[in-house]
PDB file of all heavy atoms in Angstrom:
ATOM      1  N   HIS D 227    -253.916 106.580  13.474  1.00 90.00           N
ATOM      2  CA  HIS D 227    -253.958 106.664  12.114  1.00 90.00           C
ATOM      3  C   HIS D 227    -252.836 105.914  11.402  1.00 90.00           C
ATOM      4  O   HIS D 227    -251.647 106.080  11.838  1.00 90.00           O
ATOM      5  CB  HIS D 227    -253.896 108.148  11.614  1.00 90.00           C
ATOM      6  CG  HIS D 227    -254.158 108.325  10.175  1.00 90.00           C
ATOM      7  ND1 HIS D 227    -255.475 108.237   9.661  1.00 90.00           N
ATOM      8  CD2 HIS D 227    -253.433 108.627   9.119  1.00 90.00           C
ATOM      9  CE1 HIS D 227    -255.384 108.473   8.326  1.00 90.00           C
ATOM     10  NE2 HIS D 227    -254.172 108.726   8.049  1.00 90.00           N
ATOM     11  N   ALA D 353    -247.241 104.159  21.883  1.00 95.00           N
ATOM     12  CA  ALA D 353    -248.315 103.601  21.052  1.00 95.00           C
ATOM     13  C   ALA D 353    -248.191 104.083  19.625  1.00 95.00           C
ATOM     14  O   ALA D 353    -248.396 103.327  18.671  1.00 95.00           O
ATOM     15  CB  ALA D 353    -249.726 104.039  21.647  1.00 95.00           C
ATOM     16  N   THR D 354    -247.857 105.347  19.472  1.00 94.00           N
ATOM     17  CA  THR D 354    -247.632 105.956  18.076  1.00 94.00           C
ATOM     18  C   THR D 354    -246.492 105.287  17.378  1.00 94.00           C
ATOM     19  O   THR D 354    -246.551 104.901  16.169  1.00 94.00           O
ATOM     20  CB  THR D 354    -247.421 107.423  18.174  1.00 94.00           C
ATOM     21  OG1 THR D 354    -248.520 108.081  18.903  1.00 94.00           O
ATOM     22  CG2 THR D 354    -247.229 108.108  16.853  1.00 94.00           C
ATOM     23  N   TRP D 355    -245.377 105.084  18.090  1.00 93.00           N
ATOM     24  CA  TRP D 355    -244.243 104.373  17.454  1.00 93.00           C
ATOM     25  C   TRP D 355    -244.634 102.914  17.022  1.00 93.00           C
ATOM     26  O   TRP D 355    -244.247 102.543  15.912  1.00 93.00           O
ATOM     27  CB  TRP D 355    -243.110 104.281  18.494  1.00 93.00           C
ATOM     28  CG  TRP D 355    -241.956 103.474  18.096  1.00 93.00           C
ATOM     29  CD1 TRP D 355    -241.148 103.643  17.022  1.00 93.00           C
ATOM     30  CD2 TRP D 355    -241.561 102.187  18.674  1.00 93.00           C
ATOM     31  NE1 TRP D 355    -240.172 102.597  16.887  1.00 93.00           N
ATOM     32  CE2 TRP D 355    -240.417 101.665  17.953  1.00 93.00           C
ATOM     33  CE3 TRP D 355    -242.083 101.469  19.758  1.00 93.00           C
ATOM     34  CZ2 TRP D 355    -239.883 100.477  18.257  1.00 93.00           C
ATOM     35  CZ3 TRP D 355    -241.438 100.236  20.140  1.00 93.00           C
ATOM     36  CH2 TRP D 355    -240.339  99.768  19.357  1.00 93.00           C
ATOM     37  N   ARG D 356    -245.303 102.226  17.850  1.00 91.00           N
ATOM     38  CA  ARG D 356    -245.754 100.908  17.536  1.00 91.00           C
ATOM     39  C   ARG D 356    -246.720 100.863  16.302  1.00 91.00           C
ATOM     40  O   ARG D 356    -246.596 100.017  15.441  1.00 91.00           O
ATOM     41  CB  ARG D 356    -246.407 100.184  18.770  1.00 91.00           C
ATOM     42  CG  ARG D 356    -245.411  99.905  19.891  1.00 91.00           C
ATOM     43  CD  ARG D 356    -244.447  98.848  19.554  1.00 91.00           C
ATOM     44  NE  ARG D 356    -245.061  97.583  19.151  1.00 91.00           N
ATOM     45  CZ  ARG D 356    -244.384  96.523  18.871  1.00 91.00           C
ATOM     46  NH1 ARG D 356    -243.030  96.508  18.880  1.00 91.00           N
ATOM     47  NH2 ARG D 356    -244.945  95.315  18.470  1.00 91.00           N
ATOM     48  N   ARG D 357    -247.625 101.848  16.291  1.00 90.00           N
ATOM     49  CA  ARG D 357    -248.555 101.937  15.202  1.00 90.00           C
ATOM     50  C   ARG D 357    -247.866 102.211  13.904  1.00 90.00           C
ATOM     51  O   ARG D 357    -248.148 101.647  12.795  1.00 90.00           O
ATOM     52  CB  ARG D 357    -249.669 102.942  15.398  1.00 90.00           C
ATOM     53  CG  ARG D 357    -250.724 102.976  14.321  1.00 90.00           C
ATOM     54  CD  ARG D 357    -251.588 101.712  14.379  1.00 90.00           C
ATOM     55  NE  ARG D 357    -252.324 101.572  13.097  1.00 90.00           N
ATOM     56  CZ  ARG D 357    -252.105 100.700  12.064  1.00 90.00           C
ATOM     57  NH1 ARG D 357    -251.167  99.803  12.252  1.00 90.00           N
ATOM     58  NH2 ARG D 357    -252.872 100.657  11.106  1.00 90.00           N
ATOM     59  N   ASN D 358    -246.961 103.215  13.889  1.00 87.00           N
ATOM     60  CA  ASN D 358    -246.141 103.593  12.706  1.00 87.00           C
ATOM     61  C   ASN D 358    -245.238 102.446  12.206  1.00 87.00           C
ATOM     62  O   ASN D 358    -245.167 102.270  10.990  1.00 87.00           O
ATOM     63  CB  ASN D 358    -245.278 104.823  13.062  1.00 87.00           C
ATOM     64  CG  ASN D 358    -246.138 106.091  13.235  1.00 87.00           C
ATOM     65  OD1 ASN D 358    -247.221 106.142  12.784  1.00 87.00           O
ATOM     66  ND2 ASN D 358    -245.550 107.065  13.880  1.00 87.00           N
ATOM     67  N   ARG D 359    -244.708 101.744  13.206  1.00 84.00           N
ATOM     68  CA  ARG D 359    -243.915 100.584  12.735  1.00 84.00           C
ATOM     69  C   ARG D 359    -244.713  99.454  12.123  1.00 84.00           C
ATOM     70  O   ARG D 359    -244.378  98.906  11.085  1.00 84.00           O
ATOM     71  CB  ARG D 359    -243.201  99.988  14.058  1.00 84.00           C
ATOM     72  CG  ARG D 359    -242.289  98.926  13.775  1.00 84.00           C
ATOM     73  CD  ARG D 359    -241.674  98.351  15.124  1.00 84.00           C
ATOM     74  NE  ARG D 359    -240.776  97.256  14.868  1.00 84.00           N
ATOM     75  CZ  ARG D 359    -240.300  96.484  15.866  1.00 84.00           C
ATOM     76  NH1 ARG D 359    -240.608  96.822  17.100  1.00 84.00           N
ATOM     77  NH2 ARG D 359    -239.492  95.559  15.596  1.00 84.00           N
ATOM     78  N   ALA D 360    -245.984  99.228  12.633  1.00 79.00           N
ATOM     79  CA  ALA D 360    -246.851  98.237  12.035  1.00 79.00           C
ATOM     80  C   ALA D 360    -247.327  98.765  10.626  1.00 79.00           C
ATOM     81  O   ALA D 360    -247.473  97.974   9.762  1.00 79.00           O
ATOM     82  CB  ALA D 360    -248.111  98.031  12.978  1.00 79.00           C
ATOM     83  N   SER D 361    -247.587 100.106  10.537  1.00 70.00           N
ATOM     84  CA  SER D 361    -248.070 100.552   9.252  1.00 70.00           C
ATOM     85  C   SER D 361    -247.025 100.410   8.164  1.00 70.00           C
ATOM     86  O   SER D 361    -247.330 100.125   7.080  1.00 70.00           O
ATOM     87  CB  SER D 361    -248.372 102.053   9.371  1.00 70.00           C
ATOM     88  OG  SER D 361    -249.555 102.237  10.316  1.00 70.00           O
ATOM     89  N   GLY D 362    -245.760 100.585   8.538  1.00 64.00           N
ATOM     90  CA  GLY D 362    -244.646 100.360   7.595  1.00 64.00           C
ATOM     91  C   GLY D 362    -244.570  98.972   7.134  1.00 64.00           C
ATOM     92  O   GLY D 362    -244.318  98.723   5.954  1.00 64.00           O
TER      93      GLY D 362
END
Side-chain angles (χ1 to χ4, degrees):
H227 190 75
T354 302
W355 170 66
R356 293 292 301 183
R357 183 69 194 112
N358 290 340
R359 185 180 177 189
S361 296

